[in-house]
Amino acid sequence: VRNTPLVDEEMEANINAGTMESGEEHEMNPLILSDPPRRIIIMGGPASGKGTQCEWISSRYNLVHLSTGDILREAVAKDSSPGSIGSLCRRYMEGGELVPDDVIIHVLKERIMQPDCEERGYLLDGFPRTRAQALALIEMGIVPDTFIFIDVPDEILIERVVGRRLDPTDGKIYHMTFKPPPEDIKDRLITRSDDNEEKAWKRLKQFHENVASVMQCFEKIIVHVDGSSSPDNVAENIRGLLEKRQTGPSTSRLN
C-alpha cells in the first residue's frame, strides 16, 4: 500500500487570467437542492485554480468541502485517546511520518458517513492522489457521481507558479502578472522555496504520473474543464457540466 504525505492541500495560487470578486455571493439553485446529494471529486494541477472552484462549487451546491488534511486533524481533535483512530493519526502527524493509505481511507469513510455529508453531499478536494487510493475508495463503496478535472496547459501552470508571491502577514497570495500586489506591500512579499521553475516542473511531472492512473479508475464519470480562462468562466463551465449530469448511484469501475 502506498503512503501519502501528511500535508495540507498544496497552497493554491488561484490565479487565472481574471479574478472572482471576493465578496460575490453565489446563489444556490433551488432545483439542485431537490436532487439527490452530489458526490464529487475535483482534481487539478498546482496553481490550476482548484481552490477557487472548490469554494464556488461547495457554496452553490451546498456541498461539504472535504480535504484529507482537514479530515485527519478533525479525527485527532475528536478523539485522540489511546487505541483510537485519532491517536493513530496523531502519532503519524507528530512524528512527521507518512500516514498509511488505509488509515486515511478509514477516516475519510467515517467522515463521509456523517449526517451532513449524507444529507448535503460532498466535494472531495484533490483525493485520491494515487491508483491505490482510488481502488481503495471504490472497494469501500466511496464512489462519486462526477470527477471534475481542471485542465490547464503545463506552460500556463508553470507561469502561474513562478510568478506568485506570499504575504507573510496575512497569508494572501498574489501574482506579479495576473494579480499584482499593492505597491505598499511589495517589499514584504516572499517567494515560497518550491515556487521556482525547476521544482514546479518536477511537481507537475509527478502530478501527471499519479493523476493519469487515478483517472483510469473513474473514466466513466470524468468531465474535463478548461481551467486556462478566468475563474468566472471556469465556474460557469463547471455549472453547465454538473447540471447536465444526473446524480444517483455510480457504477464506475476499471475496464
Side-chain angles (χ1 to χ4, degrees):
V1 178
R2 299 183 64 178
N3 291 340
T4 302
L6 182 62
V7 295
D8 291 337
E9 292 299 313
E10 180 169 359
M11 194 186 320
E12 293 274 2
N14 301 329
I15 306 293
N16 287 326
T19 58
M20 285 183 171
E21 295 298 328
S22 59
E24 183 178 1
E25 295 183 359
H26 301 285
E27 182 180 356
M28 288 183 292
N29 186 334
L31 296 178
I32 297 301
L33 296 179
S34 65
D35 288 337
R38 305 302 300 250
R39 305 179 309 281
I40 300 172
I41 289 176
I42 185 168
M43 299 285 287
S48 62
K50 178 170 63 66
T52 296
Q53 299 307 323
C54 282
E55 292 180 6
W56 183 85
I57 294 169
S58 58
S59 174
R60 178 174 177 84
Y61 298 98
N62 195 31
L63 302 178
V64 180
H65 181 194
L66 302 176
S67 71
T68 52
D70 290 342
I71 292 171
L72 291 171
R73 284 188 291 271
E74 286 176 7
V76 172
K78 181 179 179 181
D79 182 9
S80 57
S81 59
S84 67
I85 190 69
S87 68
L88 182 60
C89 293
R90 182 175 183 176
R91 178 164 62 86
Y92 287 112
M93 294 166 68
E94 292 183 347
E97 301 178 56
L98 301 176
V99 178
D101 285 347
D102 57 347
V103 175
I104 294 176
I105 299 296
H106 177 84
V107 174
L108 177 60
K109 184 174 183 179
E110 283 194 345
R111 180 65 185 90
I112 286 176
M113 293 176 65
Q114 294 300 309
D116 58 347
C117 290
E118 293 279 353
E119 295 171 6
R120 295 164 48 194
Y122 58 82
L123 176 65
L124 188 51
D125 182 355
F127 189 88
R129 296 187 182 92
T130 67
R131 180 183 177 88
Q133 292 173 350
L135 294 176
L137 281 181
I138 295 171
E139 183 66 24
M140 295 188 73
I142 304 173
V143 183
D145 58 71
T146 306
F147 185 118
I148 300 172
F149 183 72
I150 301 179
D151 203 352
V152 182
D154 288 354
E155 291 75 15
I156 294 179
L157 291 177
I158 296 300
E159 182 183 11
R160 292 178 181 176
V161 169
V162 299
R164 62 188 177 186
R165 300 292 184 270
L166 172 67
D167 185 345
T169 302
D170 58 15
K172 290 184 178 179
I173 297 177
Y174 298 91
H175 193 283
M176 303 310 292
T177 301
F178 302 128
K179 188 182 177 184
E183 287 293 332
D184 61 337
I185 69 168
K186 275 187 177 181
D187 291 342
R188 75 179 186 222
L189 300 185
I190 62 174
T191 302
R192 294 195 308 164
S193 61
D194 54 353
D195 278 351
N196 62 67
E197 188 165 349
E198 180 182 357
K199 291 183 178 181
W201 277 113
K202 184 177 180 180
R203 292 204 314 273
L204 192 54
K205 179 182 178 182
Q206 183 179 27
F207 169 78
H208 284 311
E209 290 174 351
N210 288 333
V211 80
S213 62
V214 171
M215 290 168 70
Q216 288 177 354
C217 300
F218 299 101
E219 60 185 355
K220 295 181 181 180
I221 59 171
I222 288 178
V223 293
H224 291 261
V225 178
D226 181 3
S228 61
S229 60
S230 72
D232 286 329
N233 287 340
V234 175
E236 180 62 20
N237 289 336
I238 290 175
R239 183 200 63 77
L241 289 168
L242 285 180
E243 294 180 11
K244 286 179 182 177
R245 293 185 62 85
Q246 295 181 350
T247 59
S250 173
T251 56
S252 173
R253 292 293 186 273
L254 288 172
N255 290 334

